[in-house]
Amino acid sequence: MTVRPVFTVAALTIREAARRRVLLALAALTVVLLGISAYGFSRIDAEFGGLTSGEARLAAAMVLNLVMFGLSLTAALGSAFLAGPTLAGETETGIALAVLARPVRRSAVLLGKWLGLVTFGSGFVAVAGLAELLIVWLTTGYWPPHPVTGLALLAAQAGVLLTLGLLLSTAVSPMASGIVAVGLFGATWIGGVVGAFGEALGNDSVARIGTVSRMLLPTDGLWRGAMNSFQDPSLLMQFQEAFKGHPFLSEAGLTPTYLGWAALWVALALGLAAISFQRRDL
């Protein structure tokens, strides 16, 4: 496989994604989310007057994680419905057959589309996430301890979902691949919340639900690492008992082992997508 076709397909995929109506819907949802969050953050002090500095930071960190979850959900919806038509849609309309009739390998097309989608999705998360962090800083004065790490993990979460959507699109229709991807994203997040409550209650069986779900699909694990990066570590030490198992606070960051598993998961999913796409009848 030569590098040139991969980058050519990636550039065309980015250009195509930028023209889709999904992008307009994604941008509109993001603007609405940023506007609502700006108003909400500006009202924290007025609505909850008399907060200590620690309580004010805790409130800002919790609301920031809540808004960032909304941003990650928006990115998940956009990622799923951008990845679906990329292969499944082109296969159904015959566009893929016209491209692959030339001496271009299917694996090169697949890798190029994945690279273009991940670049596009990561760029969206970085820009929207940075805008949200600036809103929080301007309205409350709170700035997270590790913003770059948090945004990188959110971008990685979008990359995992794009990979999943691309894998599904090699086997099912565009609409079905998007629905399944978003459904698995939501189920994994719920599994993580249940697991966190299990850990807080000391119930190993319930806690194992979160562990298993984070291994099967790394989106929730990456999200929890991002939450930990956006919150002041002193807050958990100060309010640890009161907020154990909270769905928008994370007690620990990610280990290198888990990050390695997330990277391996993406590689395995891409490999399965390549095999499925290679065997698909165009």
Side-chain angles (χ1 to χ4, degrees):
M1 183 195 307
T2 59
V3 177
R4 186 175 179 181
V6 173
F7 284 107
T8 300
V9 173
L12 292 173
T13 301
I14 293 173
R15 189 182 305 173
E16 179 189 0
R19 291 199 302 259
R20 288 186 180 275
R21 291 184 179 180
V22 173
L23 177 62
L24 295 177
L26 198 63
L29 285 173
T30 303
V31 170
V32 170
L33 179 64
L34 293 176
I36 292 174
S37 68
Y39 175 77
F41 278 109
S42 66
R43 297 293 301 171
I44 286 179
D45 187 61
E47 296 294 333
F48 303 98
L51 294 178
T52 65
S53 59
E55 291 171 340
R57 290 201 315 277
L58 177 64
M62 288 175 58
V63 178
L64 172 61
N65 281 343
L66 173 62
V67 175
M68 283 300 187
F69 177 75
L71 176 62
S72 71
L73 179 59
T74 303
L77 291 169
S79 298
F81 289 100
L82 277 175
T86 299
L87 283 181
E90 292 183 1
T91 300
E92 290 179 356
T93 57
I95 296 176
L97 183 61
V99 173
L100 294 171
R102 296 167 176 79
V104 180
R105 295 183 179 181
R106 293 192 184 190
S107 56
V109 172
L110 179 71
L111 186 58
K113 287 186 175 296
W114 176 82
L115 183 61
L117 288 171
V118 168
T119 301
F120 184 84
S122 299
F124 165 77
V125 170
V127 172
L130 181 59
E132 181 59 39
L133 293 179
L134 290 174
I135 287 174
V136 175
W137 178 65
L138 290 172
T139 53
T140 67
Y142 177 77
W143 186 255
H146 305 291
V148 175
T149 302
L151 292 178
L153 290 174
L154 284 182
Q157 181 193 51
V160 168
L161 270 173
L162 283 166
T163 306
L164 176 63
L166 204 59
L167 170 61
L168 293 171
S169 71
T170 62
V172 297
S173 67
M175 182 63 70
S177 65
I179 292 173
V180 172
V182 174
L184 289 175
F185 169 82
T188 305
W189 181 76
I190 292 173
V193 172
V194 171
F197 277 115
E199 292 176 3
L201 298 173
N203 189 319
D204 293 336
S205 298
V206 176
R208 199 172 295 118
I209 295 174
T211 303
V212 172
S213 66
R214 285 193 287 271
M215 295 301 292
L216 292 177
L217 183 61
T219 51
D220 184 65
L222 294 170
W223 158 244
R224 292 187 174 278
M227 280 198 301
N228 186 263
S229 299
F230 291 137
Q231 66 197 26
D232 191 332
S234 64
L235 296 177
L236 284 178
M237 296 178 62
Q238 187 176 358
F239 302 98
Q240 186 174 14
E241 293 301 323
F243 291 96
K244 255 189 171 180
H246 196 284
F248 295 109
L249 288 176
S250 179
E251 296 185 15
L254 297 183
T255 63
T257 302
Y258 187 81
L259 292 174
W261 163 246
L264 178 61
W265 188 96
V266 170
L268 291 173
L270 267 179
L272 288 175
I275 294 172
S276 176
F277 189 45
Q278 191 69 34
R279 295 180 176 180
R280 182 162 183 171
D281 186 11
L282 301 180

